[in-house]
Amino acid sequence: MFSLRFLPFTLISSLLTICLPLSILVESKGCSINAIYSFGDSIADTGNLLQEGPVGLFASIGSYPYGQSYKMPTGRCSDGLLIIDYLAMDLNLKLINPYLDKSANFSNGVNFAVAGATALDRTALLAEGIAMPPASVPLSSQLDWFNSYLNSTCSSQSDCAQKLEEALFLVGEIGGNDYNNAFFQGTSINTAMTYVPQVVQAIVDAAKKVISLGARQLVIPGNFPIGCSPSYLTLFSTSDSSAYDEKKCLIAYNNFSMYHNKQLKSALADLRKSNPDVSIIYADYYEAFMHMLDQASSLGFDEDSLLTACCGTGGGYNYESNLMCGSPGTTVCSNPDQHINWDGIHLTQAAYLVIAQSLVTEGFAYPNDKVQDIWDC
């Protein structure tokens, strides 16, 4: 069994460098969860955008240096594996295949997440003056894919409910692109805060939908601290030292992330009350990331590059929005396992591993007893 709980970080890192096949790391018994169904954006996309044909910022995800630590590009927005991959492996499941790969095996779940996805539909965002890239796939479309999948695989409603009762649903991270697109188009923080209730409601509505279909175990993550992202640190840099915290992250944008997360946690508390028979777990990506920064040295990360991208070019954060990782003129660091950030927007495989460990073993996902019920194997 591969376990995030019992292997030390240094040993796991060496396994990842060797890139052992999952058949060596995974056994097929012991856990009560037999499938994962995932919705979200590039934090969880294991290849859907690649199947669609990535354009714009994500045009290079299907080729090196993306996937270099995994020894092959897979459409993941990282040098290797993602949080969802580690959560699956720790449940003795194989990696969850993207829905748009019609040749894939979906016996252990389906990943509907798409890089660039938003929580809100295009019409809702346009009503707020936020333009969206043409290929964006909102959460509602991912739910439509899920319904199509169920219609093609379940013999009856009760058959579906039984299948979903033994599955884990990862609903998010989602919403980050709703805010990214707003901020990158010049929206103020105060204005963006008015969108938060709509974004949170879209996430909760998705959770309600899968619960109505039979889901009984959900993990719903909050947003990362965007003020620590090289993209934000580059685009919103200022000479005002008071704009930065002791970690050199942008205070105002991190406060915005916390505002979203606070609203989401409150909504999930209400959702638990109305669904007492369902395990609804909040995954605190924000605090897990901050904890990783605090423990960076002991985790093997280079303290001189905590807020700089491994792959990119330009400025103090190695990020240029018009020259994303993989574009001509960009370079990639020689030691991505010692970096937290991969391309200015997404994290490295090593960082995602630490986040996954934090969720399963260190109390950054709660209620903790529900986490242990799921991963007690």
Side-chain angles (χ1 to χ4, degrees), residues 105 117 236 243 253 281 302 308 327 346:
N105 183 337
F236 304 110
Y253 288 97
I281 295 168
D302 177 7
T308 58
S327 301
H346 309 98

Side-chain angles (χ1 to χ4, degrees), residues 118-121 137-145:
T118 55
L120 299 179
D121 289 347
V137 179
L139 186 54
S140 61
S141 295
Q142 296 178 32
L143 289 169
D144 289 341
W145 289 351

Side-chain angles (χ1 to χ4, degrees), residues 205-272:
D205 287 346
K208 289 179 178 178
K209 176 64 176 178
V210 298
I211 289 171
S212 72
L213 293 170
R216 290 296 175 266
Q217 294 158 114
L218 287 75
V219 173
I220 304 177
N223 284 353
F224 282 110
I226 57 176
C228 298
S229 169
S231 59
Y232 277 77
L233 288 163
T234 299
L235 295 170
F236 304 110
S237 63
T238 173
S239 59
D240 181 5
S241 61
S242 66
Y244 299 88
D245 63 15
E246 69 282 358
K247 295 181 175 66
K248 300 182 181 180
C249 301
L250 287 164
I251 296 171
Y253 288 97
N254 277 358
N255 285 343
F256 177 85
S257 294
M258 287 191 287
Y259 179 76
H260 166 91
N261 292 342
K262 181 179 179 180
Q263 298 297 314
L264 179 59
K265 285 185 282 187
S266 177
L268 295 184
D270 292 337
L271 190 62
R272 290 188 193 99

Side-chain angles (χ1 to χ4, degrees), residues 149 189 221 247 332 374:
Y149 168 77
I189 291 177
K247 295 181 175 66
V332 60
I374 292 173

Side-chain angles (χ1 to χ4, degrees), residues 114-131:
V114 187
T118 55
L120 299 179
D121 289 347
R122 182 182 303 275
T123 52
L125 290 165
L126 287 174
E128 301 292 346
I130 305 170

Side-chain angles (χ1 to χ4, degrees), residues 64-83:
Y64 286 114
Y66 283 90
Q68 71 170 33
S69 295
Y70 189 65
K71 309 306 181 188
M72 62 179 291
T74 60
R76 289 166 172 81
C77 293
S78 181
D79 61 308
L81 300 178
L82 309 177
I83 294 170

Side-chain angles (χ1 to χ4, degrees), residues 228 289 293 296-297 301-308 338 340-341:
C228 298
F289 183 93
L293 283 186
S297 180
F301 294 113
D302 177 7
E303 293 217 47
D304 292 330
S305 60
L306 298 181
L307 301 180
T308 58
Q338 295 178 25
I340 286 176
N341 195 280

